[in-house]
Each structure stands twice: as structure tokens, then as C-alpha cells.
Amino acid sequence: MRNILLLCLFLGSSFIAYSQTVTVRDVQTSEPIEMVTIVSEERNEFISTNSQGKADISAFAGTSKIQVQRLGYQIKTLSFDEISASDFIVELRANNFNLNEVIVSATRWRQNSGDIPSKVISISPKEVELQNPQTAADLLGVSGKVYIQKSQQGGGSPMIRGFATNRLLYTVDGVRMNNAIFRGGNIQNVISLDPFATENAEVLFGPGSVIYGSDAIGGVMSFQTLSAELSNTDDVLISGKINTRFSSANKEKTLHADIKYGWKKWAFVTSASNWDYDHLRQGENGPDDYLKIYHVERIEGEDRVVEQEDPLIQNPTAYSQKNLMQKVRFKPNENWDFQYGFHYSETSDYGRYDRLNRVMKGNPRYAEWKYGPQKWVMNNLSISHSNQTKIFDQLSVRLAHQQFEESRIDRNFQDEIRRIRAEKVDAYSVNIDFIKKLGKKSTVFYGSEYILNDVESDGKQENIISGNFEDSPSRYPQAIWSSMAVYTNYEYKPSDKFTIQAGIRYNQFLLDAEFDTTFYSFPFTQANINNGALTGSLGMVYHPGDSWSVNANFGTAFRAPNVDDVGKIFDSEPGAVVIPNPELTAEYAYNWDIGIAKVFNDFLKVDFTAYYTILNNAMVRRNSQLNGQDSIIFDGERSQVQSIQNAAIANVYGVQAGMEMKFPGGINFSSDLNYQIGEEELDDGSVSPSRHAPPLFGTTRLNFKSNDLLVQLYANYQSEREHAELAVEERGKTDIYALDESGNTYAPSWYTLNFKMSYELWENFSLSTGVENITDQRYRPYSSGMSAPGRNFILSVRIGF
């Protein structure tokens, strides 16, 4: 009898444990919903549903308030007992609008966007699948709120609120991607990320230095890659997808595959992608200034100018890329979670198209100018522990190592000497983060961070006739850059309608660099910086009702001088050379913004954000001297000596506005508009427009959805930037901009009309197609060194399992 009772007890407990696996499904279609977030605020814990819409919520047993939420669905709040009474089945209803979208990692800690004073957007996987972005930079551009500049096809430099490059921050799975050679000029590191392996992408607008430290002035772009999923049953959970895509404008040939397989305690995800792009064709209708009717080839031992058969082809812009990712997850119990991720990305060589447009004495300035293979490797170990103690409820430890490799290869026209400058950065980081609930109304988030970057730089020159190599000047000194910080963020929520957040961070940053004086007689041999920065933020969110949201925020941010600022030697523009400056200090930003969002009758949603940012002690290029001389011979040309100096105050202000209307029958209309003005103080006290504040730009979309069919007709557009409105440093760049009737450079206005369609032919098999730039416009996004694609036909197939 005793054995029977024990057996019944065992079976009963097994049934209860199994029954605590909740299934979340769509109330209309009864289909399971993936990536639903289930949150217990009482225990500061969350879990997400897998591809079968299932999640184990046994850790939430006994809680009275569990939120079940996913972007595009109405939030449902239930107790554990209520979920149990419904046989652990939760049904969500799709809604038109939601002012409380779930944010995964834009603030490092998981928070509801309805409680965050800053503007935060999430780019949904469905939108990414429809738009088929070729790179991670294009993925950000899908939002209609981030402007993308390109100087070559293997590139993409985001601009946010008048800031770009090293005044923006990138994170991948919570790890800082910015390194010590992120420059003030346009960068292309974001293309190292795989859009197919991106589970979610978010953008936080405005300062993020309290949480992320240096560089987070204009915004933070957060990428969450595919996660390994555990099984909630004794059966192995297997899912994945295969994507293939062709695009006509650059004859793109892309193949991607990923697979997830998991058990109760162990899970894995493997992802691989390969891209191949030919030279990009620009549009037929637009300024002739963008046409380049020749390219340079090495024929019979000499450089020759070759006329192009098709002047619309931008040669050279072809490149290829491959990405690999492997993740392993081990969750021995409900309190511990170990996750390891490996990322690898490598491009081929790719031409710097804008530099190859330069002319000297009637001939091409360069026979070659290209970037060598860009490589990125990341190893990331994340450890999470949940346990209600006196000092924390949740503990997260993140250890990461990244390695960046890049190089620049150039050779003057009819010159036998090829210059090769190669850089390698090893970046190490440690983050320890805590969350502690202080009663029902208060939560404190706090942590510490350590970062170390080891920079190696090498210069060589090759005689292409003899094949001999010699040492030449490197781009950077050999250097170590490090940062140590402690930070905290406090959230007080006296009611569901009102939230206050305040944060503070202290950061100490160090730089030690050794300069080689073999090639340049610098009046110094080393640079040593050891300074601190204190930043803070204060903001509030108020919900007068379910359809209203008002937020206001004041925040400070900083950017510490890095190795690129202090030690770089490069030609910034024809006739100018930038030399090192070991006397730099941090620049500071002060930002105010206010936002309002309103839903009218579950039919119309309007949101509006205004902001104003002051950048003090800004690091900018200014004329300088080297050993008493204001010009030197650099790369065979007499060049004005310049250096990066703390010599300016910059102001950026603007508005971001959006509206969305949803009609019966699955019709949706939306529009996003961005207007920003940037001003920068010059050396003589006058004011110049800011280089990284693009003209007014936006996106307008018309969507139709019916069952498995999704159709979108949309327009992208940008207003004109006249010559007088260009930054002073940009006005002489005839290789980038068009010429007006007076022969002055300017950025013309442009628009594109585009069509996209996605249809699920049958379960787990979908087809996406589209036409971009239907009217075949020849246009160049502001500040870009190459034209955007002309009319582009896209065909993509996705197979899931």
C-alpha cells in the first residue's frame, strides 16, 4: 500500500510539473505564438515561449501577477492560479496599438518600454522578414528612424539625432561592440552582424552613458541574436530555417541556414550565412554627377583608364561575406542559466568607391583604394542567477572577448608602391549586473564594468613590380585603452500610471600609447591619459490613461578619447593630414527630450518626440602644426597639418514624429518623419552645420494583411541640403556630392517607391518578393560616397522546420 501511495505521489508531482508548461496561442487562429514574454514583477523573472509557443512557468508558482505580452498583441495579466485553472493555456488577442512594447536589452536590463523615459523602438522579426535587408545597417534603416550613410557596398554608418560613428554605441547580446579605433569618420563595423541571425533589434534614442559608458551620446543600437531554446518535455526540441535570396541590382546570391535543438537542460543553436554581391547598379534617372564612366585596371604592367560599358555600374563595389554563429545553453535548475556564444564574420576585400572617384591633374588620384578583409570574432559567456537575497534578486555576469581585424590598401595612379595599413584590436570586457526589488514600488539596478582594448597597428609598403616589402608608417600607435565603471539606476513606480527613473555612473578611463618616430619626428614619444567622467540621468513617464503616454528625460553622456582620436595619422581630405594629439580630454553631452504618444479610438496612433543636445568640449579636427610647420608632404602631396582637438561646442535639436492608422480588412497606413538641425562651432568662432545631421527624411507605408499574405507599398524620401547648409568640411567634396547650377556641391532631394510582398504558400514555406526603387531613381543618400541601388527586383524563399 505504501508503494502504491508513493507511486501515486510521484505520478501526481510529475503531472503537476508537466502541467506548469504554459502554451500561448492566438485567440483567432489557435496557432502557437513564439517569443512571447512572460514576466513576474514580484520575482523579477521572465521567460520566453519557444517555437511551439510553450514555456515552463513553474518558477512563477504562487505569484499573483504574471504579465503575458508580445509586440502586436494585447497584454494579459493573470495570476498563476488563473493560468492553472485554464489548463495552462493562455490566448492572446491581436491589437491595433500598444504603448507598452516589451524591450529586451536596450537598457541592459529587461524593462517595459512604457516605464522608460527615453524613446525606444523595436524592429520586429516580421518586418525584417518582409523587407529582406541585405546587411545589419539596412536592417536599422527599416525602422524609418535611423539614417544610413554608405561609402561602399560593404558598409553602412548609422546616423541618429545628429550623431554618428563613435558617438553612437552598438551592443551584441549585451556586449559592447565599440572599440578603441572607432573613428569619427564613417564606419562599417555593423555589417559584421548577420540580419538572418538577429532575433530582435532595438534602438534607444539619446544618451545611454549611464548604462553603457563612453560613446553612447546619440543613441544605443542593441542586437539580440538567435537564442538557444530548451525543451519543456522529454522530447528533443528541433526547429530552424533555410533562406535563400536573389537581388537584381547587385546580382546578390545569399544562402542562410540555422538550426535549434534543445533538451530540458541543454540547448544549442547553429547559424551560417554566405553573401555574394556584384558591382552595384545605380538608377537611370538622376544627376549625371553621380556617373563614373571609367575604372582603373592594371594591364601589361601599367595602370590604364578603362571606359565602362555601362556607366550605371559602380565599379568597384563588389564584395562577399560569411558569418557563423554557435550558441550553447545549460540550465541545471531554475536558479542558474549558463549561455555561451561564438560569432565569426569575415568579408572579402571591398573598394572604397568614393576615394576612387578622386582626380588629380586630370588623372584618377588612385589606382587602388580598398579595405582588406574585415574580420570580427566574439566569444561571450553569460551567467544568470536568480535568488532573492539581501543584495540582489537577479545576478548577471557577462565575460566577453572580441577580436577585430581591418586594413586599408591604396596605391596612387601609375605608382609602383602599394601601402598596406593593418590593425588588430583585442577587446576584453567584464560586466556584473544586479537587480533588487525594494518593496512593491521600487527597483534598483546596479553593476560594474571593466573593459580593456589592446591595439596593434602595422604599416607596410609593397613594390608591385619587384614584390619586395618595406616597413612604412602605421595608422595608429601601439596602445592599451581601458575603462572601469560603477553605475546604478533607480526606478520608483508609485502607481501603474507614473514612473520615475534616475541613474548615475562614474567611469575612469586610461590610455597608454607608444609612438614610433622612425617616419615622423613627433615632439613626443608617448601619450598617457588617466581621467574620469561622471554622468547621470533623470526622467519620468506618465500614463494619464491607457491611450496616453507622456515622457520627459534629462541625461548626460560622454565620450572618452580613444586611440583613433589621440594617435591616428591619416589624410582626412585632399590637401590635409591629421596627426596625433596626446592632450585630449573627454567630451560631454547634455540632452533634454520630451515625448507624447496618443491612441485615438483604437484607430489612430500618434507619437511625437522633441529633443535638444549640447555637446561640450567636442573633439573636432582643427588646423595645427608639427615641429613649427603648418604643412608637410604626405603621400606625395603638400598637406595642411591638422589634429583632433577639444575645440568646439555643438548643438543638435530636432523632432521625431510618427503616425499609424489601422483600417478594417487588414489595411494599415503609417508614416515616420525625422527632422534634425546640427550646428558646430568653428575655430574662428563662426558656426557650421553639423556633418552628421542629415536633412529631413522619412518613410511612409501602406500595408495589407490577409491570412498568410502581407503586402506593403512604401516610399522613402529625403529633402535637399543646399550648399550653404552643408558642413564647411563637406563643401569641397565633389567626389561625393552633386553640383548645383552655380557649380557648388549640394545633396539633392530624392524619393523611392517600393513594393514588398510575403506569402506563406503552405506551413513552413514562404515566398517573399519585391521591387525597390520602382521608378529607377539615381540618388545618393546624404553624405554617402556611392549611389543607392537603382530598380531592384528581390526574390527570397524561406523554409522552416
Side-chain angles (χ1 to χ4, degrees):
M1 184 66 179
R2 181 186 174 205
N3 291 336
I4 293 175
L5 289 173
L6 288 174
L7 178 61
C8 291
L9 180 63
F10 171 76
L11 292 175
S13 62
S14 299
F15 175 76
I16 292 171
Y18 178 75
S19 67
Q20 290 177 344
T21 297
V22 67
T23 300
V24 183
R25 62 193 189 191
D26 188 292
V27 69
Q28 292 182 326
T29 66
S30 296
E31 292 293 324
I33 307 175
E34 185 181 6
M35 294 177 62
V36 174
T37 303
I38 304 172
V39 182
S40 170
E41 294 185 355
E42 298 173 33
R43 301 190 178 180
N44 276 324
E45 294 187 7
F46 70 90
I47 194 169
S48 299
T49 58
N50 60 24
S51 57
Q52 299 174 344
K54 296 181 181 294
D56 185 357
I57 61 169
S58 55
F60 298 166
T63 55
S64 60
K65 188 178 180 181
I66 299 173
Q67 285 190 340
V68 185
Q69 48 191 334
R70 191 189 191 279
L71 183 62
Y73 288 87
Q74 295 177 4
I75 296 175
K76 207 162 192 176
T77 302
L78 301 164
S79 68
F80 185 87
D81 291 340
E82 288 174 323
I83 296 176
S84 176
S86 64
D87 294 329
F88 288 90
I89 294 176
V90 176
E91 293 183 323
L92 296 184
R93 183 179 301 278
N95 72 337
N96 282 346
F97 305 104
N98 190 354
L99 296 179
N100 294 281
E101 300 169 2
V102 174
I103 303 304
V104 175
S105 53
T107 57
R108 191 186 297 276
W109 301 288
R110 195 174 188 92
Q111 291 180 278
N112 197 308
S113 65
D115 297 330
I116 299 174
S118 300
K119 181 178 178 65
V120 184
I121 64 166
S122 180
I123 304 171
S124 71
K126 284 293 184 183
E127 181 70 11
V128 172
E129 183 179 343
L130 175 68
Q131 291 296 331
N132 272 303
Q134 292 189 342
T135 69
D138 297 331
L139 185 154
L140 291 168
V142 164
S143 68
K145 301 177 180 69
V146 178
Y147 197 88
I148 304 299
Q149 180 276 351
K150 290 187 179 183
S151 293
Q152 60 278 332
Q153 204 174 188
S157 187
M159 297 182 183
I160 298 176
R161 288 191 174 182
F163 295 100
T165 62
N166 54 16
R167 291 183 179 128
L168 301 176
L169 190 85
Y170 305 83
T171 71
V172 184
D173 292 339
V175 177
R176 174 193 178 93
M177 193 182 194
N178 293 42
N179 62 52
I181 61 172
F182 264 42
R183 56 189 180 274
N186 298 306
I187 59 175
Q188 57 269 356
N189 298 73
V190 71
I191 71 166
S192 294
L193 306 179
D194 183 353
F196 290 109
T198 300
E199 196 167 74
N200 196 33
E202 297 149 0
V203 181
L204 181 147
F205 294 89
S209 283
V210 168
I211 306 302
Y212 291 105
S214 179
D215 303 1
I217 291 176
V220 177
M221 291 156 286
S222 177
F223 296 86
Q224 179 68 38
T225 60
L226 294 175
S227 55
E229 296 180 0
L230 298 167
S231 175
N232 295 310
T233 69
D234 292 330
D235 297 327
V236 60
L237 176 66
I238 300 177
S239 64
K241 65 179 183 291
I242 298 172
N243 295 75
T244 183
R245 185 175 63 216
F246 171 80
S247 301
S248 64
N250 52 10
K251 299 179 181 178
E252 175 199 10
K253 296 175 284 293
T254 290
L255 180 64
H256 164 83
D258 64 69
I259 182 171
K260 297 181 179 182
Y261 39 105
W263 294 264
K264 284 190 173 182
K265 294 185 177 181
W266 287 91
F268 304 83
V269 57
T270 304
S271 171
S273 299
N274 188 80
W275 296 266
D276 183 77
Y277 305 108
D278 204 340
H279 303 304
L280 182 65
R281 176 192 175 277
Q282 59 186 320
E284 180 76 32
N285 306 304
D288 290 342
D289 303 300
Y290 297 154
L291 295 176
K292 179 170 171 280
I293 60 174
Y294 68 88
H295 64 272
V296 176
E297 290 185 13
R298 188 78 177 170
I299 301 174
E300 297 179 351
E302 66 176 4
D303 294 328
R304 294 186 184 178
V305 177
V306 178
E307 184 176 351
Q308 297 206 161
E309 295 181 5
D310 185 351
L312 299 182
I313 299 297
Q314 300 177 94
N315 184 352
T317 54
Y319 87 105
S320 61
Q321 181 173 332
K322 57 188 175 184
N323 277 60
L324 298 172
M325 186 189 77
Q326 177 65 56
K327 285 189 176 182
V328 181
R329 183 180 182 185
F330 175 55
K331 191 173 183 180
N333 52 52
E334 293 301 324
N335 295 330
W336 289 95
D337 196 350
F338 300 83
Q339 297 190 50
Y340 165 76
F342 169 78
H343 299 260
Y344 177 82
S345 174
E346 181 178 356
T347 70
S348 65
D349 294 350
Y350 49 96
R352 178 72 185 266
Y353 185 76
D354 59 336
R355 291 294 179 98
L356 293 167
N357 280 344
R358 293 183 177 178
V359 176
M360 177 180 286
K361 297 179 181 179
N363 288 316
R365 174 72 173 82
Y366 296 101
E368 303 175 39
W369 211 119
K370 61 184 178 180
Y371 290 105
Q374 177 175 289
K375 298 180 182 179
W376 172 64
V377 178
M378 181 170 80
N379 292 277
N380 175 24
L381 176 63
S382 174
I383 303 170
S384 300
H385 178 56
S386 299
N387 188 19
Q388 293 185 351
T389 69
K390 292 183 178 180
I391 61 173
F392 68 85
D393 298 328
Q394 284 186 21
L395 161 67
S396 297
V397 178
R398 185 173 285 108
L399 311 174
H401 167 252
Q402 299 176 82
Q403 188 172 89
F404 304 83
E405 292 185 26
E406 59 185 55
S407 58
R408 292 160 179 80
I409 303 163
D410 68 84
R411 183 173 62 82
N412 294 335
F413 186 70
Q414 301 293 14
D415 195 331
E416 299 176 355
I417 301 301
R418 174 187 290 134
R419 297 190 307 168
I420 305 169
R421 297 184 177 188
E423 285 76 51
K424 183 175 77 170
V425 180
D426 284 289
Y428 306 87
S429 62
V430 180
N431 286 88
I432 304 176
D433 294 306
F434 303 88
I435 302 177
K436 179 61 182 176
K437 193 85 171 177
L438 304 176
K440 294 183 178 181
K441 298 180 179 180
S442 301
T443 305
V444 62
F445 310 85
Y446 63 101
S448 60
E449 177 182 74
Y450 177 74
I451 299 170
L452 186 143
N453 284 194
D454 185 356
V455 178
E456 297 180 17
S457 186
D458 181 63
K460 297 287 185 184
Q461 63 180 35
E462 175 191 8
N463 187 304
I464 62 172
I465 303 299
S466 66
N468 295 329
F469 285 86
E470 295 181 359
D471 290 336
S472 67
S474 62
R475 181 176 172 90
Y476 299 112
Q478 312 306 306
I480 298 289
W481 185 93
S482 59
S483 168
M484 295 156 283
V486 290
Y487 45 87
T488 184
N489 196 65
Y490 175 73
E491 178 183 286
Y492 177 61
K493 194 171 183 178
S495 70
D496 289 338
K497 292 186 176 182
F498 192 67
T499 304
I500 297 176
Q501 289 200 24
I504 190 169
R505 177 190 183 104
Y506 180 75
N507 214 115
Q508 192 74 15
F509 52 90
L510 301 90
L511 187 151
D512 295 293
E514 296 289 337
F515 292 93
D516 184 355
T517 57
T518 302
F519 301 97
Y520 300 107
S521 299
F522 298 127
F524 46 80
T525 58
Q526 61 182 10
N528 304 103
I529 295 176
N530 186 350
N531 288 315
L534 182 68
T535 54
S537 64
L538 176 64
M540 72 87 186
V541 181
Y542 177 53
H543 298 276
D546 292 339
S547 63
W548 272 98
S549 178
V550 180
N551 63 278
N553 188 61
F554 169 73
T556 63
F558 77 99
R559 187 172 77 84
N562 63 19
V563 177
D564 183 88
D565 299 310
V566 172
K568 177 171 59 179
I569 306 171
F570 82 114
D571 53 332
S572 61
E573 57 190 14
V577 58
V578 175
I579 66 169
N581 178 12
E583 305 297 326
L584 288 173
T585 60
E587 58 185 15
Y588 283 87
Y590 305 87
N591 178 82
W592 297 262
D593 58 61
I594 183 168
I596 300 174
K598 170 66 175 174
V599 175
F600 298 90
N601 299 322
D602 205 31
F603 162 73
L604 170 65
K605 176 183 175 182
V606 178
D607 66 89
F608 179 89
T609 302
Y611 59 89
Y612 189 93
T613 306
I614 299 173
L615 185 64
N616 194 28
N617 215 29
M619 288 182 269
V620 294
R621 287 203 306 266
R622 290 288 185 264
N623 290 342
S624 184
Q625 291 186 340
L626 178 62
N627 297 322
Q629 296 183 332
D630 59 9
S631 64
I632 60 174
I633 301 298
F634 182 81
D635 193 21
E637 181 178 0
R638 179 159 292 279
S639 301
Q640 168 68 52
V641 175
Q642 297 181 331
S643 64
I644 305 297
Q645 302 174 27
N646 296 108
I649 295 176
N651 302 287
V652 180
Y653 52 94
V655 295
Q656 295 173 288
M659 60 84 67
E660 184 175 5
M661 292 186 291
K662 295 199 175 182
F663 301 90
I667 298 175
N668 171 281
F669 179 81
S670 64
S671 190
D672 289 293
L673 203 61
N674 306 268
Y675 178 70
Q676 48 279 312
I677 294 177
E679 299 172 338
E680 179 182 304
E681 180 186 15
L682 298 179
D683 205 22
D684 61 2
S686 61
V687 174
S688 166
S690 173
R691 172 187 177 189
H692 289 139
L696 180 146
F697 70 95
T699 301
T700 299
R701 317 169 189 87
L702 178 64
N703 292 335
F704 171 73
K705 189 178 189 312
S706 176
N707 298 324
D708 298 325
L709 175 67
L710 178 59
V711 178
Q712 184 177 97
L713 179 66
Y714 66 100
N716 295 326
Y717 40 86
Q718 171 207 290
S719 68
E720 180 180 309
R721 177 63 57 86
E722 296 179 354
H723 178 74
E725 296 173 344
L726 289 175
V728 171
E729 62 187 286
E730 295 288 286
R731 294 174 186 173
K733 296 182 179 179
T734 55
D735 52 322
I736 289 180
Y737 297 100
L739 300 179
D740 61 21
E741 295 178 353
S742 301
N744 295 319
T745 53
Y746 81 115
S749 62
W750 56 262
Y751 74 93
T752 62
L753 297 177
N754 314 273
F755 170 82
K756 296 289 175 65
M757 181 183 73
S758 175
Y759 183 65
E760 189 169 355
L761 296 173
W762 55 81
E763 186 177 3
N764 293 325
F765 187 94
S766 61
L767 178 70
S768 297
T769 186
V771 185
E772 296 176 336
N773 194 1
I774 295 172
T775 57
D776 206 24
Q777 298 296 304
R778 184 187 309 139
Y779 72 100
R780 187 166 291 185
Y782 166 74
S783 191
S784 293
M786 61 175 290
S787 298
R791 186 183 295 117
N792 185 29
F793 296 92
I794 301 170
L795 178 63
S796 175
V797 175
R798 181 184 186 275
I799 303 173
F801 57 89

